[in-house]
Amino acid sequence: MATDAVAQLADSLAKTQVTEGELSYKGQGRKFDNAQSVEEMVKEIEEFKGLQALRLEGNTYGVEAAQAIAKALERKNERWSGIVNSSFVSPIQNSLGAALMTAGARLTVLDLSDNAFGPDGVKGIEKLLKSTACHTLQELRLNNCGMGIGGGKILAAALTECYKQSSAQGTPLGLKVFIAGRNRLENDGATLSLSDAFEVHVPQNGINHPGVTALATAMQHNPQLRVLNLNDNTFTKKGAIAMAQALKHLRSVQVINFGDCLVRSEGAIAIAEAVTEGLPILKELNLSFGEITGEAALLVAQSVEGKATLEKLDLNGNCLGEEGCDALREVMDGLNMGDLLGSLSDDEGEPEEEEEEEDDDDEEEEDDEEDDEEDDEEEEDSSVNQVSSPPSVPRPPDASSFLCFPSPDKLLKLGTKRALLFEQQVDVADAGKTAEAFLKISSVYNEEDEEVKSAVLDSIDAILRKAFASPSFQGYNFVSSLLVMLGLLKSEDKVKPVRVVPGHLQTLEYVVRQDYFPKDHIAVLEAFISRHIQALESCSSARNILKSTLEQVRPEN
């Protein structure tokens, strides 16, 4: 005679949803502890013809109950394709996984979301993921499973092995949807091989820039990627720039969710350039709550111009201020996209200018002190040399000594081969070092001295032409480094801005007119040069000329 538990199960089974090929016990809220409690379920599984999917979520299963279900599955000969379950622990994962392999299943969907099985639970499905049962897997959903770093590593290794084995058999794993949000994967657990997934969802995993960079490396080899959701991880500038670089390789992305990822202004600028250059079918771009300032947000807005498929741009919760929000709305209205801009109700307001100015003052005082110390050291060295050393032949000037202490005289003494010397000295593979060299050389520019002016421009031409000719040169990183070093853009790195002199802006005005300088960077420069900032006040004439030139060379949309 059936127990009360079995009688209750019978009532639940009367509500069982059966669609073509699918047997579902979804959402019945039952607790199945032992084999007796699932007798009727086992019978239904055994009698079901053409089983393709089994849904068990929304219930709780004990080890003994799951083992009974597993034995029923072992006896199924159909090539069934989906399993969705809930409230399982590691021994149960082992039992069901073994059953699926014994039954010769060919899974297309495996959903184990909302199971707190941790790393041990991943071990429970490791063999299954490596087996032929998962060679046909198209969707893997492991949301909110508490896998942690250890589980993420096991999962990555298992998927890699599955891909290798399936490829060897001529049918490589073609995972289309991968969801692993809220799993505390962090950096080491985020190194997943997902080069074929259409959708990648890994929000809220405590991943920072090394992990984001690793994911970006994987993503750039996935031309089919449509949805990329990394919400609530921590990119910072380095991770955002790496991800922007990856986006330049992709043409099929429709949804980008980098909300609450702390991409910051430099990262947003890099992402804006990637959007401008590609992503022709983009539908949604979420850069909310990223500590992005007004100028960078405007560049993001400008980047979506011409994106006919765009449905939403989310820049809420950033640091635009009231005027910045108005300017952003104005830009979007001007693009006839005002209705696509999300709410700005949670804007954090503009960053405090006073703090930045105080920092600049302190840095200037430190510069003065360092300059005084250097002068004192040079005087001491000179006096010591006069007393203790015999006269020596002065060392001929070289590029490195000029870059350490630039002066017009040193530049001219480098002779006619100075451009070649700078090419050899400056590591143009490093955008930051290239920007630093630019500022050093341009600091001695003199509009009134044709010889010095020509020497500066020839040297700058040589360096930048070589840099921009390299496919690997990160032009947006060069521009953002320039802006940071000039004190026009706040960086998360502690970079000491230089004292802006007219030569910096006059040389830059020359550069933006050259054929080697990418026109895509013009809008970025124009946005920041147009700002009313104290660092540029002493160079107002040079700034106005540069601003006018930027307006003239800006590409027509």
Side-chain angles (χ1 to χ4, degrees):
M1 188 172 74
T3 64
D4 291 342
V6 174
Q8 290 173 343
L9 175 59
D11 290 337
S12 295
L13 291 177
K15 303 174 184 177
T16 298
Q17 300 173 20
V18 180
T19 57
E20 185 177 355
E22 177 183 293
L23 182 59
S24 175
Y25 302 95
K26 176 183 177 181
Q28 295 181 3
R30 300 301 308 280
K31 186 175 182 179
F32 304 120
D33 294 325
N34 50 42
Q36 190 177 25
S37 67
V38 293
E39 284 179 350
E40 291 296 324
M41 185 186 295
V42 167
K43 183 178 178 182
E44 286 224 356
I45 291 172
E46 290 176 337
E47 293 177 354
F48 195 99
K49 302 299 182 183
L51 183 63
Q52 294 180 7
L54 176 63
R55 302 180 67 97
L56 302 173
E57 71 266 36
N59 303 291
T60 303
Y61 302 85
V63 174
E64 188 179 329
Q67 288 173 340
I69 296 171
K71 287 183 180 178
L73 295 176
E74 287 179 2
R75 295 189 286 272
K76 300 299 291 181
N77 293 322
E78 293 93 341
R79 294 293 176 131
W80 60 290
S81 60
I83 179 167
V84 186
N85 49 48
S86 185
S87 298
F88 288 165
V89 293
S90 185
I92 300 176
Q93 310 284 21
N94 278 317
S95 298
L96 289 175
L100 293 171
M101 290 184 284
T102 301
R106 292 293 183 270
L107 297 177
T108 56
V109 180
L110 179 59
D111 188 341
L112 299 173
S113 297
D114 300 313
N115 284 290
F117 51 60
D120 289 341
V122 185
K123 291 178 183 176
I125 60 170
E126 183 179 9
K127 289 183 180 179
L128 173 63
L129 290 173
K130 292 179 179 179
S131 73
T132 55
C134 287
H135 286 186
T136 51
L137 199 62
Q138 294 181 14
E139 297 185 20
L140 179 57
R141 301 172 182 266
L142 299 171
N143 198 56
N144 193 29
C145 292
M147 289 189 288
I149 297 172
K153 288 181 176 180
I154 296 169
L155 176 63
L159 289 175
T160 300
E161 184 62 26
C162 181
Y163 181 82
K164 288 180 180 178
Q165 292 187 14
S166 59
S167 297
Q169 295 181 16
T171 55
L173 174 67
L175 198 62
K176 307 305 181 191
V177 178
F178 176 78
I179 300 177
R182 302 180 66 187
N183 271 294
R184 298 178 288 108
L185 295 177
E186 300 183 15
N187 296 330
D188 291 338
T191 54
L192 300 167
S193 178
L194 301 167
S195 58
D196 293 309
F198 284 175
E199 298 184 21
V200 175
H201 302 261
V202 283
Q204 293 182 306
N205 271 293
I207 305 170
N208 55 32
H209 75 81
V212 173
T213 300
L215 282 171
T217 301
M219 292 303 101
Q220 69 180 1
H221 300 295
N222 183 357
Q224 302 179 104
L225 185 66
R226 295 175 186 168
V227 178
L228 183 55
N229 176 9
L230 294 174
N231 186 281
D232 200 9
N233 288 291
T234 307
F235 283 36
T236 63
K237 178 188 75 173
K238 293 180 180 178
I241 288 176
M243 195 58 72
Q245 190 65 21
L247 290 173
K248 291 187 175 184
H249 296 269
L250 308 175
R251 303 282 296 173
S252 302
V253 173
Q254 298 177 8
V255 177
I256 297 173
N257 187 346
F258 296 160
D260 207 12
C261 284
L262 208 64
V263 299
R264 296 198 168 118
S265 295
E266 291 171 273
I269 291 170
I271 292 169
E273 291 206 2
V275 174
T276 300
E277 293 176 15
L279 304 176
I281 57 173
L282 185 66
K283 290 184 177 180
E284 183 175 333
L285 176 59
N286 184 347
L287 296 179
S288 59
F289 298 93
E291 293 191 2
I292 300 169
T293 57
E295 292 80 9
L298 292 179
L299 292 171
V300 173
Q302 291 165 0
S303 74
V304 301
E305 182 175 7
K307 306 295 180 187
T309 56
L310 192 74
E311 297 175 0
K312 184 176 182 181
L313 172 63
D314 191 347
L315 287 166
N316 196 21
N318 284 298
C319 306
L320 312 185
E322 187 175 345
E323 291 184 5
C325 289
D326 289 342
L328 180 59
R329 293 188 187 99
E330 186 178 337
V331 168
M332 290 299 287
D333 287 339
L335 298 175
N336 294 320
M337 291 180 162
D339 57 333
L340 306 183
L341 179 64
S343 169
L344 299 174
S345 60
D346 294 319
D347 186 71
E348 297 286 343
E350 283 189 275
E352 292 293 331
E353 289 283 344
E354 291 180 6
E355 292 180 9
E356 293 182 21
E357 288 173 8
E358 286 175 8
D359 291 343
D360 291 343
D361 292 340
D362 292 342
E363 285 163 358
E364 287 179 5
E365 288 176 10
E366 288 173 10
D367 284 346
D368 292 339
E369 289 172 6
E370 288 176 5
D371 290 342
D372 291 342
E373 288 173 7
E374 286 170 2
D375 291 342
D376 292 342
E377 288 173 6
E378 287 178 4
E379 287 176 7
E380 287 176 12
D381 291 342
S382 176
S383 61
V384 169
N385 287 335
Q386 288 174 4
V387 173
S388 59
S389 303
S392 59
V393 178
R395 189 179 65 177
D398 57 40
S400 63
S401 66
F402 170 85
L403 292 172
C404 288
F405 301 102
S407 73
D409 186 54
K410 283 184 180 178
L411 181 64
L412 295 179
K413 285 182 178 178
L414 290 175
T416 56
K417 293 185 178 180
R418 64 178 70 88
L420 178 60
L421 293 175
F422 282 125
E423 276 191 59
Q424 296 170 343
Q425 179 66 33
V426 178
D427 180 10
V428 295
D430 187 318
K433 290 180 180 178
T434 305
E436 186 177 358
F438 172 90
L439 294 176
K440 295 274 191 180
I441 298 170
S442 62
S443 69
V444 303
Y445 180 96
N446 186 344
E447 187 71 34
E448 305 299 324
D449 189 327
E450 284 297 327
E451 189 178 8
V452 172
K453 175 181 173 181
S454 178
V456 168
L457 298 183
D458 287 347
S459 301
I460 292 294
D461 269 339
I463 295 171
L464 294 189
R465 193 177 295 278
K466 179 181 178 182
F468 284 112
S470 170
S472 61
F473 185 68
Q474 297 181 340
Y476 58 83
N477 201 0
F478 167 77
V479 172
S480 63
S481 295
L482 265 186
L483 294 171
V484 168
M485 292 176 190
L486 289 169
L488 306 182
L489 176 62
K490 192 174 182 180
S491 173
E492 64 192 58
D493 302 322
K494 293 184 178 180
V495 177
K496 186 183 296 183
V498 301
R499 223 181 250 113
V500 183
V501 297
H504 292 143
L505 306 184
Q506 291 166 326
T507 307
L508 188 56
E509 189 272 339
Y510 165 82
V511 166
V512 299
R513 291 187 278 110
Q514 305 311 304
D515 58 359
Y516 57 74
F517 189 82
K519 300 309 177 189
D520 292 338
H521 302 328
I522 298 296
V524 179
L525 286 172
E526 186 179 4
F528 284 88
I529 294 298
S530 300
R531 291 179 63 188
H532 296 290
I533 188 168
Q534 187 176 4
L536 298 178
E537 286 182 1
S538 62
C539 310
S540 58
S541 177
R543 183 183 72 167
N544 291 337
I545 294 172
L546 172 58
K547 183 180 174 184
S548 175
T549 299
L550 289 170
E551 291 172 356
Q552 294 171 21
V553 299
R554 182 176 56 202
E556 294 295 331
N557 294 316

